[in-house]
């Protein structure tokens, strides 16, 4: 056991982070010691003097959020969680860093490790999700007041985080929305993986953030007083705050400090011994001197948590708050969905599915206070801006609609952050083809099990004249491929209501609603009381007895299958028409259901105005397919459908060929 | 016929753009009149007084490049191409704006319309590809001097272009590389689709660009003298130049000018009539007064082109220049590929495929002067930085390696721009999972038929401890889904050489090389003289007579299939092992080849450390599959393979089940 300086100093507390980080990376023989060692001082001051948290209640709604955007430095966070007393993060877990089934994964994983607020590692995502957290805090504050909602969002970000394009979208949005309870601590260590940052970077970062409406400063990231002062100042800013923390990566390592060599590999036994000596750290690996551990355990805000619980207990709207923060739909919400499905079933409107989606949102938003979202500058096209909805603005966060600007990626990350924060069920919108711009964040929605709703309109060549840059052909397949993502492509207004119903009931993952620009006929004849889309696909029409052929389609092409069935029936064929609004849910049902819809030996023709890719798992290698074989073209929609041969006649032709 | 002011004024020339744009959008009943009308003055001054171009030779190598990043304003460009005398862009083509098979697609499409330098429309792509063009100009200049390479890149960009994250990556890269022959004309019209830009934007754009190392200014975008002066000044800048052009969107339209109403829909007959009156434009729709057309036809740089041709004819290295700018591999290049494949076949090295890729590049780069590329701050991981390669830097563009920084999206767009410019065969590198960050640009590589090589390493759970954020599982499927994209996943060093060979011989589309972090055994026994990967898949080993079972695998899992075959053969089974380095090429061969490799009725088991999605087109719905079923985890690679059951034993087990 070492004898620490008495009383325990901030350096001791920081060195505890450094020692654990070095040791865990060394033991794993894998990981990133440089960042935790460089940012240990900043993190120690932040967590011990400024962060509001209660290790006994990692999910306390009014805690400050801490996001390690530079997720590769995960040992910084795990060290702190252990030191501060998050019960599950035992020393044994630190020893199992980066091993199977440990709580200490290579990068922080939300839902896997208590105290981890967001899954980070893909650069730029953490800082951008944090914008959503900081926004959700202000939006909940606008609804429930300072007594219940009064916390901050702190981020540690790396050079790489700031080089990523998504950071531009995030910081300009944060500046525009005036998110002043938001502080980014930039690990300004002048080192990236390839070497000095000046290999690839010449930006004046402070000026850049100032241009985006941020308050900025630069400090010595190893000067505890300067760190403390900057954090104190950040707490009274009227703008989002960037603090450039000039640090030495791998601080303390005798030969590797200040070099890329300390970034992403174990330091090695000699270097670690040298660092221990330089830091005056004499404790054995994975041992923390008692006094230092005591000092760390004395941090936290259990009292504040207790006081908050008391305020909550006495609050007028405690039940509303608890219900909203839970994320679970309540009875009113579910009833609104049920009522709307049945109303649509009764009225049978002929609408583009994007319009049907807009009407669905408008119908339920009054009963769903947690609904909040916006579009990437396509409000009039995506139709998710409901009549009279309040607009979220700097200083006025009571609304439910956000003008995200042309920032698809930042928008998706913001939605993740709002969802992670709690209190909101975010929906975000753009054209389907621009899912590509959101994709790294959509992947994180899936990985983090966040029920973000992606409303993506103009879902095929049916958008017409804008041409191949705007026409998704591979996009549906590429989204269906993401694990845990449900991709809906509804065929009419009722299926659209069902898609929203399923997306909003879901609490463990994201959904995509792929919606048409063009009008769609109403196809259903049931009363809407049962959500037929829930199994992913269902028989829309059938003849008595075993079918001769099965036609399956999605979205705007289901009406073509219906028309083709009419022709085939006139020829004496028995035809089953299957509508398949969600292939992901269909495949989740298992083979028995698939075999029931598509009986063995009965030929199948599928139709979707997209590539065949991915469909063979439903229709088999020998199934017929009417769709696209490459990129689209610029022309009116009806001309394109004819040009690319996506017609009921083509379905009939393929059916006849298979029946011949 | 109207009588224009005499002599023809710049306003007349600009109004010709406005009139054609209004008329074409009206005739199509679709399109975007606002931007062309707003930026007509800037464009008229640029094209008539500063751009170097020859309408008779749209592909002249030393022309200035003009990129309409705000591609929705395509009628601006089409109007100019017609007015300036690009032969194919007849008035009839303008009348067929946005119609099937016209040259005037909704958004500018490279390869479809002469004079269009890049396919634009997805916002942010144009400005970012332009960085690659401006860089390629400097790099060719460093090789061939001012006599042969001396041109500029001009961009018109919208608010949306600058909101997109990719613009941050692009402008910081341009600033860092000191691309001073690069000028962005920002259409600063304060209007986006949703309404005034201040709905979503508060950035000080000039300050933002200054922070990135640009020279900036603001002008009245309707003041011809100011435009001229700013462009003149831009031509002598030592930094990249941003000119903020304050314009009125829909300039001239009596009620819609200055509003979002003029952005993306026809103005309507009354508004057009009012605009004609306001602009003093009395010519009938699609008619241009002769004097104005003459003035436009007098623009261009045919003389400069002629002089350049003479300089080229007399240049020492004319042949080299012509060969390099052509993009077609010559005999030396092809010979280098052939020799390397055979050398690898003889030496049978045991290497990670990323290492085999690095050795391939190192072996051929001396014979491939057009090879140029870099990595997104992962040089030591992607291994595309060959020994002693020159680094491209501001003011020194002779090298062949670019430190792109953590800018995957901007890097991919830059590669597109370099490829479009001509002279270079760009390769860019990151981890495979981060293909998601590049995806909108990768889609454009495919759509524009540009042979960019995407080197994407760490291609599976085989990367180990970094965990699910860094482990692709759906990425291969999502890339295979992109039309015209060839995705290679080589199984050993020879297949890696073959993948490079195919990617570099290809001139009509992009390739992805998905490469392992971990070492792979050498599997091939042929002499390497024939590229077996060319058909996408081939029989690696087979028994005499019809097989009992076929095992097919890719990349790092082919060795598992080989091992499984050994076990099955020991049990008396006849086994065929198929290696399938490129499913895209395999499927291009057609059904006959597929049926030959996988004979009807013979069971198949596929193995790939990724999702099954997309495989059913090869193995059928009932085929066996050993791979992933969801996201990965953080642990050493060998533990993950065991944990997720991707083993030769699992292949054997599935084979036995199918054979039972």
């Amino acid at each position: 056991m070492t004898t620490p300086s008495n009383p325990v100093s901030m350096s001791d507390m920081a060195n505890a982070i450094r020692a654990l980080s070095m040791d865990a990376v060394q033991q794993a023989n894998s990981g990133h010691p440089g960042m935790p060692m460089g940012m240990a001082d900043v993190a120690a001051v932040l967590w011990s003097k400024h962060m509001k948290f209660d290790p006994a209640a990692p999910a306390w709604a009014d805690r400050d959020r801490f996001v390690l955007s530079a997720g590769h430095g995960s040992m910084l966070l795990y060290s702190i969680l252990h030191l501060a007393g998050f019960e599950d993060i035992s020393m044994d877990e630190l020893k199992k860093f980066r091993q199977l089934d440990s709580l200490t994964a290579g990068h922080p994983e939300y839902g896997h490790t208590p105290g981890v607020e967001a899954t980070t590692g893909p650069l730029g995502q953490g800082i951008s999700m944090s914008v959503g957290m900081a926004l959700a805090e202000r939006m909940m504050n606008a609804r429930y007041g300072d007594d219940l909602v009064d916390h901050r969002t702190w981020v540690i970000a790396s050079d790489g985080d700031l080089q990523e394009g998504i950071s531009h979208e995030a910081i300009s949005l944060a500046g525009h929305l005036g998110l002043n309870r938001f502080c980014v601590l930039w690990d300004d260590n002048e080192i990236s993986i390839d070497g000095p940052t000046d290999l690839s970077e010449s930006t004046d970062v402070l000026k850049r953030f100032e241009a985006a409406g941020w308050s900025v400063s630069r400090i010595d990231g190893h000067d505890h007083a300067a760190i403390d002062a900057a954090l104190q100042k950040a707490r009274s800013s009227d703008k989002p705050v960037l603090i450039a923390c000039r640090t030495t990566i791998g601080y303390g390592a005798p030969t590797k400090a200040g070099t890329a060599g300390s970034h992403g590999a174990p330091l090695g036994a000699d270097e670690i011994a040298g660092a221990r000596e330089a830091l005056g750290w004499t404790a054995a690996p994975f041992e923390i001197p008692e006094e230092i551990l005591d000092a760390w355990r004395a941090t936290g805000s259990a009292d504040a948590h207790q006081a908050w619980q008391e305020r909550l207990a006495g609050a007028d709207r405690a039940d509303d708050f608890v219900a909203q923060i839970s994320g679970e739909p309540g009875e009113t919400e579910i009833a609104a969905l049920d009522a709307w499905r049945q109303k649509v079933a009764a009225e049978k409107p002929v609408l583009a599915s994007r319009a049907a989606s807009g009407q669905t949102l408008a119908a339920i938003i009054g009963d769903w206070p947690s609904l909040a979202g916006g579009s990437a500058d396509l409000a009039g096209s995506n139709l998710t801006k409901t009549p009279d909805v309040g607009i979220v603005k700097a200083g006025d966060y009571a609304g439910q609609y956000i003008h995200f600007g042309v920032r698809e990626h930042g928008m998706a990350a913001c939605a993740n952050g709002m969802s992670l924060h709690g209190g909101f069920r975010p929906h975000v919108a753009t054209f389907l083809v621009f899912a590509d711009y959101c994709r790294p964040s959509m992947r994180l929605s899936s990985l983090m099990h966040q029920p973000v709703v992606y409303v993506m309109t103009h879902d095929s060549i049916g958008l017409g004249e804008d041409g191949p840059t705007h026409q998704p052909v591979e996009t549906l397949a590429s989204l269906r491929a993401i694990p845990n993502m449900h991709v809906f492509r509804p065929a009419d207004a009722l299926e659209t209501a069902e898609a929203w119903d399923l997306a909003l009931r879901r609490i463990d993952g994201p959904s995509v609603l792929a919606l048409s620009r063009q009008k769609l006929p109403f196809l259903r004849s049931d009363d809407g009381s049962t959500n037929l889309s829930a199994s992913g696909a269902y028989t829309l029409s059938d003849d008595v007895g075993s079918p001769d052929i099965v036609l399956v389609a999605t979205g705007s092409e289901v009406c073509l299958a219906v028309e083709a069935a009419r022709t085939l029936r006139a020829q004496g064929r028995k035809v089953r028409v299957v509508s398949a609004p969600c292939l992901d849910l269909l495949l989740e049902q298992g083979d028995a259901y698939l075999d029931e819809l598509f009986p063995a030996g009965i030929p199948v023709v599928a139709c979707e105005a997209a590539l065949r890719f991915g469909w063979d798992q439903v229709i088999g290698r020998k199934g017929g397919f009417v769709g696209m074989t490459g990129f689209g073209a610029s022309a009116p929609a009806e001309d394109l459908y004819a040009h690319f041969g996506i017609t009921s006649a083509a379905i009939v032709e393929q059916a006849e060929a298979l029946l011949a």
Side-chain angles (χ1 to χ4, degrees), chain A:
Chain A
M1 272 294 179
T2 185
T3 308
S5 53
N6 195 348
V8 170
S9 70
M10 195 60 78
S11 292
D12 295 326
M13 294 178 77
N15 286 339
I17 297 173
R18 293 189 173 101
L20 290 174
S21 298
M22 287 193 293
D23 291 343
V25 171
Q26 188 68 19
Q27 171 124 335
N29 196 27
S30 170
H32 300 78
M35 192 284 246
M37 295 173 76
M39 285 295 278
D41 294 304
V42 172
V45 176
L46 172 65
W47 280 75
S48 66
K49 300 186 73 170
H50 296 275
M51 273 272 293
K52 181 165 80 169
F53 68 97
D54 180 357
W60 167 30
D62 200 34
R63 71 193 181 279
D64 283 2
R65 305 307 195 264
F66 172 78
V67 175
L68 188 70
S69 193
H72 54 273
S74 55
M75 270 312 302
L76 177 93
L77 180 52
Y78 299 145
S79 298
I80 291 171
L81 294 177
H82 169 74
L83 292 166
F86 285 69
E87 195 178 351
D88 293 339
I89 315 303
S90 64
M91 192 62 88
D92 276 351
E93 290 295 333
L94 300 191
K95 291 178 183 170
K96 290 189 289 178
F97 180 51
R98 292 187 155 230
Q99 305 308 301
L100 200 60
D101 299 327
S102 76
L103 290 178
T104 48
H107 292 81
E109 293 181 26
Y110 174 81
H112 183 76
T113 310
V116 169
E117 301 283 3
T119 298
T120 53
L123 290 170
Q125 298 294 330
I127 185 173
S128 307
M129 287 189 274
S130 303
V131 173
M133 294 180 187
L135 176 59
E137 192 270 349
R138 285 294 85 190
M139 289 173 66
M140 284 297 276
N141 176 276
R143 285 149 176 80
Y144 296 99
D146 292 345
D147 272 4
L148 298 187
V149 185
D150 178 25
H151 55 270
R152 297 170 191 284
T153 304
W154 307 94
V155 179
I156 288 183
S158 62
D159 291 296
D161 284 305
L162 303 191
Q163 287 194 306
E164 289 287 2
I166 189 174
S167 71
H168 166 59
E169 303 183 17
I171 74 167
S172 59
L173 190 62
H176 176 71
L177 292 173
L179 301 176
N180 65 318
R181 299 167 73 82
F182 181 41
C183 178
V184 173
L185 300 153
W186 168 35
D187 181 14
D188 178 18
N189 61 22
E190 301 184 290
I191 293 293
S192 75
I193 296 178
D194 279 0
T197 48
D198 65 9
L199 282 177
S200 67
E201 186 60 86
S202 307
T203 301
D204 180 338
V205 173
L206 266 56
K207 189 166 180 175
R208 174 191 170 203
F209 275 76
E210 268 187 342
W214 287 51
S215 170
V216 303
S217 63
R218 184 186 296 283
I219 58 169
D220 174 348
H222 303 298
D223 176 338
H224 302 134
I227 299 164
D228 191 29
L231 293 173
Q232 190 59 45
K233 190 170 164 219
R235 292 166 63 168
S236 58
S237 173
D238 59 352
K239 298 175 180 177
V241 175
L242 174 78
I243 304 173
C245 309
R246 179 59 55 87
T247 64
T248 301
I249 189 171
Y251 184 92
T255 72
K256 295 187 177 175
T259 76
S262 71
H263 167 79
L267 294 178
D270 289 352
E271 188 78 4
I272 290 178
R276 285 186 132 73
E277 195 175 325
L279 297 169
W281 187 266
T282 56
F286 297 109
E287 278 187 16
I288 302 295
E290 203 179 322
E291 301 88 337
I292 297 177
L293 190 60
D294 287 347
W296 264 108
R297 293 284 155 97
T299 65
S301 321
D303 292 352
H305 181 202
Q306 179 60 34
W308 180 87
Q309 289 287 11
E310 285 160 16
R311 291 198 300 279
L312 177 66
D316 286 348
R317 297 181 58 220
D319 291 348
D320 288 349
F321 177 84
V322 170
Q324 184 161 351
I325 206 80
S326 80
E328 303 250 5
E331 280 175 28
T332 313
E333 281 95 330
I334 295 297
L337 295 172
D338 287 342
W340 177 248
R341 289 199 324 275
Q342 293 173 58
K343 187 168 187 319
V344 172
E347 295 184 352
K348 303 186 190 309
V350 172
L351 293 168
S353 50
R354 63 176 171 141
S357 161
Q359 293 193 4
T360 302
L361 257 181
I364 64 170
I365 194 168
D367 289 316
W368 275 80
S370 60
L371 276 177
S375 149
D377 195 36
L378 289 170
S381 298
N382 302 140
L383 302 177
T384 53
K385 184 162 170 251
T386 50
D388 308 320
V389 70
I391 306 298
V392 173
K393 297 187 188 95
D396 175 6
Y397 304 96
Q400 284 174 275
Y401 190 84
I402 300 150
H403 283 286
F404 280 107
V406 188
R407 300 184 182 102
E408 297 87 359
H409 201 177
M411 171 177 76
C414 182
N416 280 338
M418 292 172 71
S419 183
L420 288 165
H421 177 276
F424 296 100
R425 295 294 305 264
H427 56 88
V428 291
T430 184
F431 287 166
L432 179 60
V433 79
F434 300 136
D436 281 358
Y437 278 81
C438 309
R439 195 169 168 93
S441 299
M442 296 177 81
R443 188 179 204 262
L444 280 181
S445 304
S446 284
L447 187 55
M448 297 188 299
H449 294 274
Q450 295 305 299
V452 175
V453 184
Y454 292 93
V455 181
M456 296 188 150
T457 68
H458 298 60
D459 70 345
S460 74
I461 54 166
L463 72 82
E465 293 88 345
D466 276 343
T469 53
H470 286 55
Q471 290 161 357
V473 293
E474 80 287 20
T475 317
L476 289 167
S478 77
L479 294 172
R480 287 170 181 151
I482 300 176
N484 198 35
M485 177 74 73
H486 289 172
V487 180
F488 293 91
R489 190 162 184 258
D492 70 2
L494 182 49
E495 279 194 8
T496 307
E498 290 179 335
W500 267 108
D501 177 295
L502 292 164
L504 289 177
R505 281 174 199 254
R506 190 173 193 211
I507 57 170
D508 65 349
S511 303
V512 171
L513 275 54
L515 303 173
S516 75
R517 177 191 186 196
Q518 69 272 33
K519 268 195 187 169
L520 303 178
F522 194 88
L523 299 171
R524 289 267 289 271
S525 54
D526 58 292
D527 68 0
S529 59
T530 303
N531 187 328
L532 299 183
S533 300
S535 54
Y538 61 91
T539 298
L540 183 65
S541 78
D542 212 352
D543 295 320
V544 178
S546 176
D548 298 318
I549 188 149
V550 180
L551 309 181
V552 55
T554 77
S556 45
E557 285 71 67
V558 176
C559 60
L560 300 180
V562 168
E563 199 180 314
R566 207 173 296 132
T567 305
L568 289 162
R569 282 168 184 153
Q571 295 168 6
R573 300 294 188 178
K574 288 192 284 185
V575 185
R576 172 178 298 171
V577 178
V578 172
S579 180
C582 183
L583 297 192
D584 309 282
L585 282 171
L586 170 60
L587 293 166
E588 278 181 18
Q589 311 304 310
D591 270 354
Y593 186 63
L594 216 57
D595 291 342
E596 186 188 319
L597 281 180
F598 308 103
I602 309 296
V604 184
V605 178
C607 183
E608 183 170 78
L611 300 178
R612 182 183 180 123
F613 198 94
W615 268 96
D616 287 4
Q617 60 192 327
V618 176
I619 61 175
R621 241 179 84 185
K622 304 292 183 186
F625 186 77
V626 173
M628 300 291 289
T629 57
F631 292 111
S634 170
E638 53 272 35
D639 294 354
L640 292 173
Y641 270 90
H643 175 72
F644 290 111
I646 303 176
T647 62
S648 64
I651 299 173
V652 169
E653 194 180 318
Q654 289 220 18
E656 284 171 346
L658 290 170
L659 287 164

